[in-house]
Amino acid sequence: MTKLSPFNYNRRTTNKVTVGHITIGGASPIRVQSMANSNTNDIEASIAQAIRIKEAGGDLVRFTTQGIREAQSLKLIHEKLQTQGVNIPLVADIHFNPKVAEEAAQFIEKVRINPGNFVAGKITDYTDEEFAAERDKVHEKLRTLINICKQHKTAIRIGVNHGSLSARMMNRYGDTPEGLVASCMEFLELCQLENFHDIVISIKASNTLIMVQAVRLLVQHMDKAGFHYPLHLGVTEAGEGEDGRIKSAVGIGALLADGIGDTIRVSLSEDPEYEIPVATLLVEHITKRANHQPIDGIVVPTYNSHLYERRVTHAIDMVGGNNPPVVIATKKGNYEPMPEYIIEENHLPMRSLSYPELNNQILNELKTTPQIVLLHSNHTNPVGEMRAFFHRLISENITAPVIIAGHYNETSTEALQIKVGADIGSLLLDGFGDGILLTNDNDKITNEAINSIAFGVLQAARRRISRTEYISCPGCGRTLFDLQATVAKVKAATSHLKNLKIAVMGCIVNGPGEMADADYGYVGAAKGRVSLYRKNECIEKNIAEEEAVEKLLALIEKDKIEKQVLKQTYNQPLNWSKTR
């Protein structure tokens, strides 16, 4: 088995799983896929969408399968695609009802089940006996599905979602990466008992840090147990436009850089075929590192890949220490979106270095002379080489702040978003870097766009919130409103609000859970009806869609006023004449 290194790129060794005419894992290329957002019962629209996904380069397409009717529709879609000579494996996306999975598994190539809602559980505390009894119920349901899958050579994706972790796992582990991993490992152990191995695994979250920590932790647990199942990667509810692309590149790219991942999906609140080129570019950007010149880094003994800890640095001006990471601008032009966050490069005591230059003389100078390091790399694997640099500084107890420099030559803004997200985002998720300096040789991409990407990467890596963040699902057959139009409408009304996270979710399947990290949620409740949430608490139910944005703004304003009143009250000096 290939040993993974934080410095040298190698694909993790996994089992080969057959899904229709393709394989996932083993020596197979990293597969890219998407999910239809058509109504599964609209056969012709679903067929057309599957064809567009395949023509865009997709290897698989997933359809929401809420009930038996949708399972039967999926059978028709599968048959008609085959009749038309369109050979693309179909995946049934199952929530809540194992019977639907059993139906769909008889005629499509793969079923995706969610351990969080495979068997309904209770909300109260579980004793050890009750916890074990619930596992037995899960095993009973899973055994029936596995037997059908064995008979029809159907693969299973065990898809654990941060937003729908079972009450049982929440009770024992809390809302943590450990809970996500425990949920997944339990299902893998049950599959082992049934001698079923046609399995692909995913752990997803809208929070990139949680997603990356959980997957890294899962790989450690699987390696210890001798499990080598292929992994599917994705950041749920990533959003659309620049934010969706950067967020996906940060989360997925960090794991691909580790050598983890056998199939990916970039979840955008856009037409599903638009996801494929983004995913393809991300895979190509990472896999070109294969067989690179080895990097002789040494891992710091205290390094833990699945626990976030920011590297300790001292502050120089606004850089390092407890300051949030900054964006360094070599030139602003007429663009100053957040001037308090952008620092001119020539105002700082800065020294440009790369890992090969890090000799004993320079190490001694960094220990004795206060200066900011501008870290760059020309290596085929810049992430690995820069990680080696940071590990060396930590081992030498050097606390100089470091600006991560990314130098590119892209003509496409989308390509720059994805590559910067995958490269610099990976390091930020590791706790490395006190700022970003981006340069791009091609002047087709403006300084405004470059600065926006830098701030977007900091935000996607959860290192600095500088603008409104939108958590929005990509849409599927369960979506209860026009998702793209709704996201645009909510953005237009709220983009002026700073340091807020707003979720726009098409339905309640993952909505309340996945948006728990958001400040406010706008969730489809029924056709033409919306429910509003504060965190994961429903504040107003079944509002008419045409009133929902206005009511969302009113809720935000009400909370803002209440916070101001509380702050003013708290800061008032006590009137001792009235309290004696």
Side-chain angles (χ1 to χ4, degrees):
M1 293 294 174
T2 302
K3 183 175 176 57
L4 298 181
S5 160
F7 314 126
N8 296 291
Y9 174 77
N10 287 294
R11 286 272 305 277
R12 172 175 167 263
T13 303
T14 59
N15 303 337
K16 182 174 70 174
V17 174
T18 300
V19 183
H21 71 286
I22 69 168
T23 56
I24 296 174
S28 309
I30 296 172
R31 304 294 186 180
V32 298
Q33 55 182 284
S34 184
M35 182 172 181
N37 61 13
S38 59
N39 184 330
T40 309
N41 294 318
D42 187 338
I43 308 299
E44 295 307 318
S46 297
I47 289 171
Q49 201 162 79
I51 292 171
R52 290 197 299 273
I53 290 169
K54 180 176 175 60
E55 289 176 343
D59 295 305
L60 302 93
V61 59
R62 181 159 47 112
F63 284 91
T64 184
T65 315
Q66 304 100 300
I68 298 297
R69 182 188 174 198
E70 284 76 17
Q72 289 297 322
S73 294
L74 194 54
K75 179 181 180 181
L76 286 174
I77 293 165
H78 188 270
E79 289 172 351
K80 291 196 173 189
L81 284 169
Q82 295 292 321
T83 300
Q84 295 179 33
V86 180
N87 195 11
I88 185 168
L90 302 188
V91 185
D93 190 63
I94 310 295
H95 289 271
F96 303 114
N97 193 342
K99 290 291 183 186
V100 178
E102 294 163 16
E103 177 74 15
Q106 298 176 50
F107 42 79
I108 50 91
E109 289 83 1
K110 186 178 174 188
V111 291
R112 181 267 179 159
I113 55 174
N114 183 344
N117 51 40
F118 194 74
V119 173
K122 58 182 182 177
I123 306 300
T124 57
D125 288 346
Y126 283 86
T127 65
D128 289 345
E129 292 76 15
E130 289 170 330
F131 194 88
E134 198 79 5
R135 175 188 167 105
D136 291 340
K137 290 180 185 178
V138 171
H139 191 180
E140 183 181 341
K141 295 282 187 184
L142 190 58
R143 181 186 292 116
T144 304
L145 175 61
I146 285 174
N147 287 336
I148 292 170
C149 288
K150 284 181 177 179
Q151 180 183 350
H152 295 276
K153 302 187 185 308
T154 305
I156 292 177
R157 167 148 68 100
I158 299 171
V160 184
N161 268 21
H162 184 224
S164 52
L165 196 59
S166 70
R168 176 168 159 265
M169 289 295 172
M170 285 282 285
N171 175 258
R172 179 142 301 194
Y173 297 96
D175 186 15
T176 62
E178 287 76 11
L180 293 167
V181 171
S183 180
C184 187
M185 288 298 293
E186 179 176 80
F187 266 60
L188 288 178
E189 288 161 3
L190 295 176
C191 288
Q192 288 283 315
L193 292 174
E194 298 300 322
N195 195 29
F196 181 77
H197 305 290
D198 292 330
I199 303 166
V200 179
I201 311 159
S202 68
I203 289 184
K204 294 188 177 183
S206 61
N207 182 317
T208 56
L209 190 56
I210 288 175
M211 174 249 188
V212 169
Q213 288 176 339
V215 173
R216 286 173 173 171
L217 182 62
L218 173 65
V219 168
Q220 289 185 15
H221 279 258
M222 287 202 298
D223 286 350
K224 188 174 181 180
F227 298 165
H228 304 287
Y229 297 109
L231 279 157
H232 169 72
L233 306 179
V235 178
T236 60
E237 284 77 45
E240 50 85 57
E242 175 174 281
D243 291 343
R245 284 157 175 78
I246 290 176
K247 198 171 183 181
S248 293
V250 169
I252 299 170
L255 292 166
L256 290 179
D258 291 347
I260 297 169
D262 302 278
T263 171
I264 73 169
R265 188 237 174 147
V266 172
S267 298
L268 300 175
S269 300
E270 302 174 18
D271 292 341
E273 58 266 29
Y274 293 165
E275 297 177 350
I276 302 301
V278 179
T280 301
L281 178 58
L282 179 55
V283 169
E284 289 174 349
H285 179 60
I286 301 296
T287 54
K288 72 181 182 183
R289 299 170 186 173
N291 304 313
H292 65 67
Q293 187 72 23
I295 299 165
D296 61 345
I298 299 175
V299 178
V300 177
T302 56
Y303 175 69
N304 191 329
S305 66
H306 65 269
L307 289 178
Y308 172 81
E309 185 176 357
R310 184 176 177 182
R311 173 177 163 262
V312 175
T313 62
H314 60 265
I316 297 178
D317 198 346
M318 292 171 61
V319 182
N322 293 323
N323 293 307
V326 297
V327 172
I328 305 292
T330 52
K331 55 181 179 178
K332 293 182 186 177
N334 296 321
Y335 177 63
E336 298 190 25
M338 290 167 278
E340 69 274 24
Y341 296 162
I342 298 179
I343 302 174
E344 290 284 1
E345 183 180 359
N346 57 9
H347 290 173
L348 299 168
M350 192 175 295
R351 179 176 195 166
S352 180
L353 289 173
S354 65
Y355 181 59
E357 297 172 304
L358 208 56
N359 56 37
N360 289 331
Q361 179 184 339
I362 288 176
L363 288 169
N364 287 330
E365 290 174 7
L366 291 175
K367 291 177 182 178
T368 57
T369 307
Q371 55 193 310
I372 297 169
V373 174
L374 180 63
L375 175 60
H376 64 90
S377 172
N378 294 318
H379 198 279
T380 307
N381 183 5
V383 172
E385 190 175 75
M386 288 186 180
R387 278 177 175 166
F389 185 96
F390 282 110
H391 278 262
R392 185 68 189 277
L393 292 192
I394 294 169
S395 68
E396 296 284 342
N397 295 314
I398 293 172
T399 60
V402 176
I403 302 294
I404 302 170
H407 184 75
Y408 299 87
N409 184 18
E410 302 297 330
T411 58
S412 159
T413 302
E414 180 179 79
L416 188 62
Q417 292 163 352
I418 293 163
K419 292 181 180 182
V420 175
D423 295 342
I424 297 180
S426 300
L427 297 165
L428 294 170
L429 289 176
D430 287 342
F432 300 147
D434 302 285
I436 300 176
L437 171 68
L438 291 186
T439 55
N440 190 67
D441 285 343
N442 197 295
D443 59 8
K444 288 186 177 180
I445 302 178
T446 65
N447 292 330
E448 177 180 1
I450 292 170
N451 285 338
S452 179
I453 291 169
F455 284 114
V457 172
L458 288 174
Q459 182 145 325
R462 301 292 166 137
R463 293 293 301 275
R464 181 168 204 154
I465 305 298
S466 57
R467 56 198 185 198
T468 309
E469 180 174 347
Y470 297 93
I471 299 168
S472 62
C473 67
C476 67
R478 295 183 298 264
T479 303
L480 295 167
F481 47 67
D482 184 330
L483 188 70
Q484 293 180 41
T486 302
V487 170
K489 185 166 59 174
V490 172
K491 274 191 168 185
T494 61
S495 59
H496 63 287
L497 303 171
K498 302 302 179 187
N499 300 322
L500 278 184
K501 291 182 224 154
I502 299 174
V504 181
M505 312 298 287
C507 73
I508 62 167
V509 170
N510 289 323
E514 290 295 354
M515 71 187 191
D517 190 46
D519 299 296
Y520 298 95
Y522 179 111
V523 180
K527 285 292 184 183
R529 313 299 291 184
V530 171
S531 293
L532 298 181
Y533 286 72
R534 181 192 296 118
K535 296 291 185 182
N536 57 358
E537 178 190 1
C538 187
I539 303 301
E540 290 195 66
K541 291 183 178 180
N542 297 319
I543 304 164
E545 189 178 345
E546 56 270 20
E547 301 173 8
V549 172
E550 184 178 339
K551 285 184 175 286
L552 174 63
L553 287 171
L555 174 62
I556 294 170
E557 184 61 26
K558 175 176 174 287
D559 286 354
K560 180 181 175 184
I561 292 170
E562 287 181 358
K563 286 178 183 176
Q564 288 173 344
V565 170
L566 283 171
K567 185 177 179 181
Q568 289 168 1
T569 303
Y570 180 79
N571 289 333
Q572 286 291 324
L574 284 173
N575 187 337
W576 289 104
S577 64
K578 292 183 180 180
T579 58
R580 286 174 183 169

